[in-house]
Amino acid sequence: MPLDQTSLLLELEPVVATNLDRHLSLAKEWFPHEYVPWSEGRTFDGLLGGEPYRPTDSQLPDVARTALIVNLLTEDNLPSYHHEIATLFGRDGAWGTWVHRWTAEEGRHGIALRDYLTVTRAVDPVELERARMTHMEAGYSNGHPDEILHSIAYVAFQELATRISHRNTGKATGDPMAEQLLARVAADENLHMVFYRNLLAAAFDLDPNHAMRAVTDVVAAFEMPGANIEGFGRKALSIALAGIYDLRQHRDEVLQPVLRQWDVFGRTDLDGDGEKAREELAAHMDELEAQAARFEEKREARRQRLQR
Ligand SMILES: [Fe+2]
Ligand SMILES: [Fe+2]
């Protein structure tokens, strides 16, 4: 019998409690201000009559700036994410403690990134603020608002996706300070991924067919949490062309390792719709492989063209 949403919350509560303890024992306290070179900062124009922003103020490559903006705007939408998970998971017991702890940790990411970008003049602060307003006014909504297992599967993949994206953005900056900061943020995202991955692993044991269906639906419809950022398509393409986050990484470094942890292709406890969902997932992974290979070929051809 598939479990209803309330029973799932109740059955998973002890798993949340255990993994919350595990998380708290592994999470490292860190301070955004230590990652920002404050003495490099200068007052801006406007109210205080400082120097206006100029694109030449910073040496960061354009694509690194684009990726940093996407990552920061994604972090900025935290109030919407909090709303979605607090509504679904509730604010009581271990679930509530997790929801608030996770929100507090995520809050640090936006603070650190914004301070770094503003002090180093890596992006136009007026454009950034306008983009933040537009993005937050649009809000974010969970693609599976009434489905606990779908939502857990989504965040497991999404946390790993943001980990990879932060880490590779750091590398693309060529700035050891930015790289250090983004590696720190990426380490947080990894612990978040582990929390949700363990939770869904427990759900697989409770209700395997339902969990399998959730995973397949989420993988098939996956979008980055910042996918509704203005101009996201163009930005995501340049990020993919630079190898910061592309289909190959999405398939091989985000989807595959998590699917392997759940042993989705080796499980012997699936039948009916669960078995069907697993077949759909296998076909989807093959299709992603073909798409990733096509993209890599095109990118290589483009690289050679640009070199001539
Ligand atoms: Fe984050
Ligand atoms: Fe996270």
Side-chain angles (χ1 to χ4, degrees), residues 137-152:
E137 283 179 54
Y140 169 86
S141 35
N142 179 354
H144 310 277
D146 307 314
E147 296 277 0
I148 291 175
L149 297 188
H150 284 70
S151 302
I152 298 172

Side-chain angles (χ1 to χ4, degrees), residues 240 245-255 284 287-296 299:
Y245 196 90
D246 59 24
L247 261 185
R248 169 65 57 210
Q249 288 151 330
H250 182 63
R251 184 189 182 283
D252 295 355
E253 294 176 43
V254 174
L255 301 179
H284 186 75
E287 175 55 29
L288 273 182
E289 171 58 46
Q291 283 176 19
R294 270 199 304 276
F295 181 79
E296 284 170 323
R299 181 169 61 191

Side-chain angles (χ1 to χ4, degrees), residues 13-215:
E13 167 111 32
V15 185
V16 172
T18 308
N19 279 280
L20 175 63
D21 287 346
R22 182 183 180 278
H23 176 84
L24 294 175
S25 74
L26 293 173
K28 264 219 209 79
E29 186 182 34
W30 63 276
F31 299 96
H33 74 273
E34 293 180 359
Y35 288 80
V36 178
W38 297 97
S39 60
E40 287 182 16
R42 300 191 310 282
T43 303
F44 284 99
D45 58 334
L47 216 52
L48 302 180
E51 292 169 49
Y53 164 81
R54 288 186 196 82
T56 50
D57 285 346
S58 158
Q59 300 307 308
L60 288 198
D62 282 346
V63 70
R65 299 185 202 216
T66 300
L68 280 159
I69 291 169
V70 167
N71 293 6
L72 175 52
L73 293 175
T74 301
E75 298 284 352
D76 276 338
N77 236 352
L78 180 57
S80 267
Y81 310 141
H82 174 84
H83 174 268
E84 294 297 275
I85 67 166
T87 305
L88 195 63
F89 298 160
R91 298 178 60 178
D92 304 323
W95 281 106
T97 308
W98 167 257
V99 165
H100 290 113
R101 169 73 194 202
W102 173 87
T103 302
E105 289 185 10
E106 291 291 354
R108 203 179 264 160
H109 300 167
I111 292 169
L113 288 175
R114 175 164 285 95
D115 284 349
Y116 169 82
L117 292 177
T118 308
V119 167
T120 61
R121 292 180 169 244
V123 299
D124 183 334
V126 173
E127 265 181 39
L128 179 64
E129 178 59 7
R130 287 183 180 150
R132 187 189 65 82
M133 287 296 292
T134 304
H135 185 53
M136 288 188 72
E137 283 179 54
Y140 169 86
S141 35
N142 179 354
H144 310 277
D146 307 314
E147 296 277 0
I148 291 175
L149 297 188
H150 284 70
S151 302
I152 298 172
Y154 176 77
V155 285
F157 293 122
Q158 167 271 317
E159 293 285 359
L160 187 50
T162 45
R163 175 205 187 187
I164 304 282
S165 159
H166 282 307
R167 197 187 58 196
N168 292 343
T169 298
K171 289 185 191 153
T173 61
D175 171 6
M177 272 184 300
E179 200 171 340
Q180 191 172 217
L181 165 60
L182 286 154
R184 184 55 260 178
V185 173
D188 282 5
E189 311 296 21
N190 194 52
L191 275 186
H192 297 160
M193 177 276 290
V194 170
F195 177 91
Y196 290 123
R197 192 190 66 196
N198 290 349
L199 207 50
L200 202 77
F204 257 110
D205 295 335
L206 276 174
D207 194 349
N209 291 321
H210 188 181
M212 190 62 242
R213 171 49 65 194
V215 168

